[in-house]
Structures are given as C-alpha cells and as structure tokens.
Amino acid sequence: MPEVSEHTGELDGLPVFWRSAGSPPAAGEAGAVPLYLHGVPSNSDEWVGFLQRSGGVAPDLPGFGRSGKPGSLRYTIEEYDGFLERFLELVGVARVRMVVHDWGAVGLALAQRRPELVQQLVVINAVPFLPGYRWHRIARVWRTPGLGELAMGTLTRPVLRFVSRESNVTPGPMPEEWLRSVTDHFDQGTQRAILRLYRSSPSGVLEAAGARLDRLTMPALVVWGLKDPYLPARFGRAYADALPHAQLLELPDAGHWPWLDRPELVERVVDFLASEAP
C-alpha cells in the first residue's frame, strides 16, 4: 500500500492542507493522478482508505478541515472551481482521475471547463448539478438566514451523533472516527463556509453548474447509495444519463457515505480507476 503523507502549503495567500500517496507521474509521462474531493461537513480524512489503495491527492477544500477559512471568500461553486485548478498547479499534477462525493461535485465545474484535465470520473452520491433537485430539510434550514446560524451553533458532537443516524444503513450513528473528524474541525470558519455555499446555490444555480455534463466523454462511474436521505436515487440515474460514457452502480443497502456501509466499494472504485487505459 502507498504510504499516505500530509502536506501544507499556501495558495492565493491562504493555507491549504492536502494528503498524498504514491509517486505522481514524472513530467512528460501520460499517467493521471487520482484526485479525491470531499463534501460537507467533512474533509480529506474520509479518503485515507482510498489513497492507501490507489495513491493520489486529496485536499481539504477551503473552509474545511485544516485549510484556510477566511471570511473574505464567498464559498461558491465558481470559487471552488478556480481553487482546484490552482491547487493542481501547486502540487504539479497535470491530469487527474477525479472522484467526487457530496459537495466535492464542485470538481465537476472544473471538469466541464477543462475536460482535458480529467482522464476518468467517479461520482458518488454527489450534489445534483442537474434539473429538478430541491434541497433536503437540513439544507433548507442552513439556507435560511438566522435559523441557519442558530442550527450551526447547536451542532455539537452529541447532536451530530444523533442526527447522523439517518445518514447510513448500518445501525446506529456514523462511526466515531468520522464524528470526531468532523467536530474537531467544525469551527466558525467551517460553519460560515457551509452557510455561504448553500445560500449561493439555489436549484437554478445547481442546474446551470451541470449544463455541460454531456461534454464529459471520459469513462465515468456513478455510484449511488439508494438509502441516501438527502439525495434521491433518481439523481444517480440522472448523472449516469447525463454523462455519455458512464456506468451506474446502485447500492440498495448503502446511505450517503456508501463506502462506510459497503467497505468493499473502496476496491470497486480503485479497480475502476486502474481499469481504463489513458
């Protein structure tokens, strides 16, 4: 297994944290590097098991984990798109095999704008950049001024443990390691980033963000835990329909973080990333 290492750097004057494993292709080589993009409210901690098997890089996105969380950022899809492009330049990665989960879907904005950067694509229970999606009840609270701030202030580890019981199919709340990872970094900066991200993304913005998905002709795998309480199963099928060369893997016994309910999914994703010739 590749050893996973931790890195810190500076991008646009702000600290950025990322993990990496394995050796990236040398300059001029044709290989692509797995790029793992986390969602809300987590960070690159959730990709360690993937990195150990496939190698690659996994940043903490701005506003999350150990990366910078300044009040000067708007935390929009467009802003994350630009960050990812500059991050790849920072780490010296010319081409990626992109894996996105939840709000890691911001990577799809970069993929549509710069499709030549992406050799393969894996979409796992990702925020729908598709027509017809309406935010789930927790997101609607976060999108409401005043109420969202109040909700953020009450999201302690015991509350998250209680609320997270719906996120997975395995009985009980999310794993303690996951809960600790989230709450250890759930400071005011992360809370602000979440509120701004959701409030900048009504349904019309989400649909517009996926307007060019049909131009992504690289091999793709769409993985969907069908017991996801936030993102209905039909959007997994919609992603598979929108991407011209996509396989669809539906998991009836998995939730929003499907690899936690179905640990063998890690190998399935890694096998897909290794299966396609450049």
Side-chain angles (χ1 to χ4, degrees), residues 88-107:
L88 294 180
E89 295 173 356
L90 174 69
V91 298
V93 171
R95 216 159 176 236
V96 300
R97 305 171 189 264
M98 183 181 287
V99 181
V100 307
H101 172 253
D102 188 77
W103 263 114
V106 294

Side-chain angles (χ1 to χ4, degrees), residues 23-85:
S23 300
E29 291 185 354
V33 175
L35 171 67
Y36 293 96
L37 300 177
H38 69 82
V40 172
S42 48
N43 54 70
S44 63
D45 290 358
E46 65 187 18
W47 296 124
V48 170
F50 290 82
L51 290 169
Q52 288 174 334
R53 290 161 177 81
S54 69
V57 293
D60 285 359
L61 295 173
F64 297 88
R66 304 153 189 84
S67 287
K69 308 174 182 183
S72 58
L73 294 182
R74 297 175 297 129
Y75 301 101
T76 62
I77 295 170
E78 294 79 9
E79 212 169 56
Y80 282 113
D81 173 11
F83 163 81
L84 288 171
E85 184 174 33

Side-chain angles (χ1 to χ4, degrees), residues 113-125:
R113 187 170 58 83
R114 297 284 309 278
E116 73 280 5
L117 297 179
V118 184
Q119 181 170 301
Q120 285 168 284
L121 179 63
V122 180
V123 178
I124 307 175
N125 287 73

Side-chain angles (χ1 to χ4, degrees), residues 2-230:
E3 182 179 352
V4 178
S5 55
E6 300 181 354
H7 311 267
T8 56
E10 186 175 290
L11 193 57
D12 301 332
L14 299 173
V16 59
F17 173 92
W18 71 95
R19 288 182 165 91
S20 70
S23 300
E29 291 185 354
V33 175
L35 171 67
Y36 293 96
L37 300 177
H38 69 82
V40 172
S42 48
N43 54 70
S44 63
D45 290 358
E46 65 187 18
W47 296 124
V48 170
F50 290 82
L51 290 169
Q52 288 174 334
R53 290 161 177 81
S54 69
V57 293
D60 285 359
L61 295 173
F64 297 88
R66 304 153 189 84
S67 287
K69 308 174 182 183
S72 58
L73 294 182
R74 297 175 297 129
Y75 301 101
T76 62
I77 295 170
E78 294 79 9
E79 212 169 56
Y80 282 113
D81 173 11
F83 163 81
L84 288 171
E85 184 174 33
R86 295 188 297 277
F87 172 75
L88 294 180
E89 295 173 356
L90 174 69
V91 298
V93 171
R95 216 159 176 236
V96 300
R97 305 171 189 264
M98 183 181 287
V99 181
V100 307
H101 172 253
D102 188 77
W103 263 114
V106 294
L108 298 176
L110 175 62
Q112 291 170 89
R113 187 170 58 83
R114 297 284 309 278
E116 73 280 5
L117 297 179
V118 184
Q119 181 170 301
Q120 285 168 284
L121 179 63
V122 180
V123 178
I124 307 175
N125 287 73
V127 170
F129 288 2
L130 297 160
Y133 181 62
R134 297 293 180 269
W135 283 116
H136 55 84
R137 67 184 188 283
I138 296 176
R140 292 197 298 271
V141 170
W142 288 342
R143 283 176 48 78
T144 304
L147 186 58
E149 283 79 1
L150 179 62
M152 285 294 176
T154 62
L155 196 58
T156 60
R157 189 175 301 180
V159 171
L160 182 61
R161 182 179 292 111
F162 176 80
V163 172
S164 74
R165 293 180 304 169
E166 68 177 10
S167 301
N168 54 351
V169 173
T170 304
M174 293 284 282
E176 284 297 320
E177 183 178 4
W178 183 92
L179 293 167
R180 182 172 57 254
S181 170
V182 171
T183 55
D184 281 354
H185 302 287
F186 199 73
D187 54 19
Q188 289 185 346
T190 291
Q191 295 171 29
R192 175 173 55 215
I194 293 173
L195 294 178
R196 290 184 181 180
L197 178 58
Y198 278 89
R199 290 173 183 177
S200 68
S201 304
S203 299
V205 168
L206 296 180
E207 181 177 352
R212 294 176 290 172
L213 288 173
D214 61 351
R215 301 182 189 179
L216 299 183
T217 58
M218 69 285 294
L221 174 66
V222 178
V223 179
W224 217 263
L226 300 185
K227 295 294 180 63
D228 188 330
Y230 317 117

